[in-house]
Amino acid sequence: MVMDITVKKAESLKGEIEIPADKSITHRAFMFSALTKGKVKIANFSKGADCMSTLKIIQMLGCSVDYLNEKELFINAKNALKEPGSPLDCGNSGTTTRLMTGLLAGQNFNTELFGDESLSKRPMKRVISPLEMMGAKFDHSDYKLPVKIYGTNLKGIDYNSHLASAQVKSCLLLAGLNADGVTSFTEPYKSRNHTELMFEYMGADIKIEDNKVSVQKSQLQPVDITVAGDISSAAFFIAAALIVPGADILIKNVGINETRSGIIDVVKAMNGDIEILNERLISNEKVADIRVRYSKLNSTVIEGEIIPRLIDEIPVIAVMAALADGTTVIKDAGDLRNKEADRITAVRNELSKLGADIQEMPDGLIITGKKHLEGGSCVECYHDHRIAMSEYVAGLVCKSPITINEFQWVDISFPEFLKLMSSVCH
Ligand code: S3P
């Protein structure tokens, strides 16, 4: 259902929220459970549409899913994996598509993956080419969905990736679980390492040296998983608290794995008031509560190794930069053009409509901060959940109300967004 919303300037942003489960970790919890041949209890999973695409697919591959309550479910993989009766719908989810391609390439049956209009435009060569080196067989047109996967025996390779991408890495590691010999993946900078941490947690034969990960054929063990809160969802609340005058919020249960926490480093570099409290470990992932208060932000430079550590937060960091003192430069982020939308163009176009001073570069953005944004305009979200939520945050500090068209796209990762925002923001 189409939902256009209006966002007004916030009077106050105060209180405490608990952030819902991490999307990346939930995908992995669902998929890896499907490989255990046993029964796994998963607590605090993401209810976003992307993770639901993964859950439906593993059911089609023979897993049964039983909900204990709203926050916990069992995945029973005793009869998995088996050939599905029809093609598998990845919806809007790049992570489902790329990881599933690796998981399915070495099975002894054939499958077909398809997705929505946006997903059908996104590049698959980054996973198809290395998997072909492992012996995998596919049918596709120009490396786009739909992709047919002809399950076959795979052999390990030592792959050097020019991209720092957790989707490509995880795809190859999943293929490697079922391949002869050793499968290694080396990347220029370290991308999110949830796959590595969960493989260790579930007993896979995995070795990590700097930016190189190697895996040998292994059977994942059925161990219960609790999913940490999503720092990429928390990012919208962190940014909002930094820019709404007088704001002070506590965001509980946020995953702070250092391969994801680049936004915390950027907030500190911008002079933001952020405190990391009550650090603990949940299912091999670091979690904390985060307190954020309104701050006079200054500009910064964001480039190089930090990019994969905050790749999904760049749209909302751009909002912070639009209100910071000075000129912020974001570079080395060209892969942002291959996300749910071209996020570089989307951010430039739509924040400009709100009055931001923002220039587009081939691999990033140059943003000169202003004291306030005018607003009073209507923005598009490009069918992209993170663009929609970044616009919402910008709307909280615009002089005049803004309209965001098709805000329903937030359901892809964060269906609870509006409810949580209205619980702290007035
Ligand atoms: C993800 C990896 C990132 C990220 C995406 C989720 C994952 O993509 O942008 O939202 O869960 O592995 P890339 O690996 O393509 O950078």
Side-chain angles (χ1 to χ4, degrees):
M1 201 180 58
V2 173
M3 182 173 67
D4 301 339
I5 62 160
T6 300
V7 185
K8 287 195 298 230
K9 190 174 168 125
E11 298 294 327
S12 87
L13 183 54
K14 276 198 183 349
E16 200 177 291
I17 55 164
E18 172 138 355
I19 218 71
D22 188 274
K23 176 160 92 73
S24 288
I25 302 176
T26 302
H27 280 300
R28 287 158 173 82
F30 289 167
M31 283 184 211
F32 301 178
S33 298
L35 295 173
T36 60
K37 301 191 195 309
K39 197 170 174 183
V40 178
K41 183 163 127 188
I42 300 174
N44 192 36
F45 51 91
S46 162
K47 300 192 175 76
D50 272 8
C51 291
M52 291 301 119
S53 294
T54 294
L55 192 62
K56 261 186 235 140
I57 288 178
I58 64 161
Q59 286 174 282
M60 289 179 70
L61 292 168
C63 293
S64 64
V65 175
D66 293 304
Y67 285 83
L68 253 102
N69 52 52
E70 266 205 5
K71 286 205 144 192
E72 293 172 306
L73 56 73
F74 277 116
I75 293 178
N76 189 337
K78 284 193 179 113
N79 298 318
L81 299 175
K82 61 172 199 224
E83 182 155 342
S86 54
L88 303 168
D89 185 357
C90 301
N92 188 249
S93 175
T95 306
T96 309
T97 315
R98 272 70 174 262
L99 271 59
M100 274 294 170
T101 305
L103 186 153
L104 293 168
Q107 302 302 328
N108 58 3
F109 53 82
N110 302 335
T111 42
E112 179 173 347
L113 300 178
F114 70 101
D116 71 6
E117 204 185 318
S118 138
L119 193 61
S120 308
K121 292 187 190 132
R122 293 180 65 184
M124 287 292 286
K125 187 164 186 192
R126 55 184 64 197
V127 291
I128 287 179
S129 292
L131 286 172
E132 281 177 342
M133 293 175 199
M134 295 177 76
K137 293 193 172 58
F138 301 101
D139 224 355
H140 55 83
S141 161
D142 194 24
Y143 295 97
K144 300 276 157 52
L145 290 185
V147 170
K148 281 203 178 113
I149 305 170
Y150 300 102
T152 185
N153 283 341
L154 303 178
K155 56 179 191 319
I157 53 166
D158 187 352
Y159 189 67
N160 243 305
S161 172
H162 66 278
L163 262 183
S165 163
Q167 291 183 352
V168 179
K169 173 171 63 181
S170 305
C171 167
L172 292 199
L173 295 177
L174 278 161
L177 277 187
N178 203 14
D180 294 328
V182 181
T183 303
S184 301
F185 179 89
T186 308
E187 54 190 343
Y189 303 120
K190 211 177 182 66
S191 63
R192 64 190 66 189
N193 64 356
H194 305 304
T195 296
E196 295 92 303
L197 293 180
M198 206 178 283
F199 271 17
E200 276 173 355
Y201 183 69
M202 298 176 96
D205 187 349
I206 180 169
K207 208 169 95 198
I208 301 158
E209 305 154 271
D210 301 321
N211 295 347
K212 179 170 183 173
V213 196
S214 307
V215 73
Q216 303 234 37
K217 195 176 261 201
S218 348
Q219 173 60 55
L220 296 181
Q221 299 306 313
V223 282
D224 294 346
I225 301 167
T226 299
V227 180
D230 197 328
I231 192 165
S232 298
S233 298
F236 302 104
F237 289 85
I238 294 173
L242 290 168
I243 62 176
V244 170
D248 182 353
I249 59 169
L250 183 67
I251 311 170
K252 296 181 86 170
N253 189 33
V254 185
I256 54 156
N257 174 326
E258 73 250 14
T259 62
R260 291 286 297 284
S261 61
I263 183 161
I264 296 175
D265 300 354
V266 165
V267 168
K268 288 180 180 162
M270 293 178 86
N271 189 43
D273 184 347
I274 187 163
E275 265 183 282
I276 311 299
L277 308 162
N278 191 17
E279 269 188 50
R280 55 221 189 254
L281 203 64
I282 295 183
S283 301
N284 221 15
E285 289 278 354
K286 257 198 213 165
V287 170
D289 303 331
I290 300 183
R291 183 165 183 190
V292 190
R293 279 174 271 213
Y294 171 70
S295 309
K296 292 242 174 304
L297 297 177
N298 51 242
S299 58
T300 189
V301 177
I302 303 170
E303 61 182 335
E305 71 78 33
I306 201 169
I307 295 295
R309 298 176 52 231
L310 48 65
I311 187 76
D312 292 339
E313 288 65 76
I314 290 176
V316 80
I317 289 174
V319 175
M320 287 155 47
L323 292 147
D325 185 19
T327 298
T328 293
V329 179
I330 303 172
K331 54 184 178 191
D332 304 324
D335 207 36
L336 272 184
R337 296 192 185 278
N338 295 315
K339 299 292 176 188
E340 286 81 332
D342 175 341
R343 287 186 175 156
I344 295 180
T345 300
V347 165
R348 195 279 316 268
N349 287 352
E350 303 311 296
L351 292 190
S352 301
K353 287 184 193 165
L354 302 180
D357 178 346
I358 179 162
Q359 278 176 60
E360 177 172 350
M361 306 302 283
D363 66 342
L365 296 158
I366 298 179
I367 305 161
T368 301
K370 291 185 165 179
K371 287 232 154 40
H372 55 251
L373 297 176
E374 288 301 328
S377 36
C378 176
V379 288
E380 305 302 325
C381 73
Y382 299 67
H383 298 180
D384 184 325
H385 53 129
R386 299 200 198 282
I387 298 294
M389 291 183 277
S390 302
E391 291 166 350
Y392 190 103
V393 172
L396 296 177
V397 293
C398 282
K399 275 181 159 174
S400 311
I402 68 165
T403 300
I404 307 172
N405 287 334
E406 301 190 89
F407 198 73
Q408 74 278 2
W409 283 94
V410 296
D411 290 350
I412 289 294
S413 65
F414 199 174
E416 308 85 348
F417 176 82
L418 282 178
K419 198 169 147 215
L420 277 182
M421 200 42 106
S422 60
S423 74
V424 287
C425 187
H426 303 284

